[in-house]
Structures are given as C-alpha cells and as structure tokens.
Amino acid sequence: MSDILRLLVRMFAIALGFFAGCLAAGLAYAFLARLVVPEDFGRFSELELTVTLVIGVFGVANLFARAVLLPAFAIIAIFEFWRRRDWLSHALAGGGIALAASSLQMTTTMNSAAAATAEPSWLIAVHVACGIIGASIYWLFTGRNAGRWLPSERANATDIADIEN
C-alpha cells in the first residue's frame, strides 16, 4: 500500500475515532449533568425517551466537537508524530482540553439549563470527566496505533522481521 493511501486511511480512522469519542462524551454528559435522570425512564414512553436521548446525545456531542476540534487535532497530530500510544497521555490530554474549553465557556456565558442550576466547580468536573471518557474512547478506536503509519515505524518492523527469519 502506498504511503499516501496509508495516510488517507489513518486520517479516516482519526476522524472516526474523534467522532466516537465525541459521542461517548455526549452520552456521559447527558447522564452526569443530569439532563437525563433515572426517573425519566418510567415517566416517558420508550419512543419519546429514545428520541430525546438520541437527539440530546448528538446535540451535546456536536457541542463538544465544535468546542475542542482544533486543540484536539493539534494534540492528535503531536501524538501521531511522537508515537504516543499509551492510554494515560490520551486521557490526560482529553481532560486538559476539556478543562480549558469549560473554563473558557464559564467565563463567557452560562448557556444550558444544567449550567444555570449547578455550581461551576461541578460543571468543570463533569466536563473534565467527559473529556477523559471521550479521549479514552478515541484511544480505544485509534490512539493505540498512533504513529504506526509513519515510514520509519514500518521500516523498523520489517527490519525486525528480517532479523528473526
């Protein structure tokens, strides 16, 4: 496979992992910020609750994706070229990006119903937890193979295979 094709496949995998991480962060936020509470499961019909949950999770995931897109892709590029494959660095980076985004959001406006009723420290903790969850899902999908598409990484793998034979 050519190097350009490997790069395109890797970029697609990164986009898919980022999308899955944002969905996971949105789902975690829906429950941690108490947008959906367990009492809702008995009060609403199944269809209404499912539609509300799906649209809510996609909406919150969209907000997360818009808030952290550029910093996250900068960190992803750094991790790719430095070949950072460990879970902890991805989780800490996700938490740090979420902390920066939530503190910026807290200084500008309080825009959600949950933000109006909760205290800021709780919301910052929820955002950081969602960032860690999203980054962990990204690592699970894509981050474990960071930098393996680079030519030097592939050359080292073939050299080791040649030595073993």
Side-chain angles (χ1 to χ4, degrees), residues 69-128:
L69 180 69
L70 293 178
F73 280 158
I75 295 294
I76 288 170
I78 290 169
F79 282 3
E80 284 289 324
F81 287 112
W82 284 354
R83 296 177 181 92
R84 299 293 301 188
R85 296 185 186 120
D86 56 322
W87 167 81
L88 184 61
S89 62
H90 282 80
L92 290 177
I97 290 172
L99 177 65
S102 69
S103 62
L104 239 97
Q105 178 189 15
M106 292 293 174
T107 59
T108 57
T109 182
M110 303 281 277
N111 59 357
S112 71
T117 59
E119 59 186 67
S121 61
W122 172 253
L123 284 176
I124 289 174
V126 167
H127 287 155
V128 170

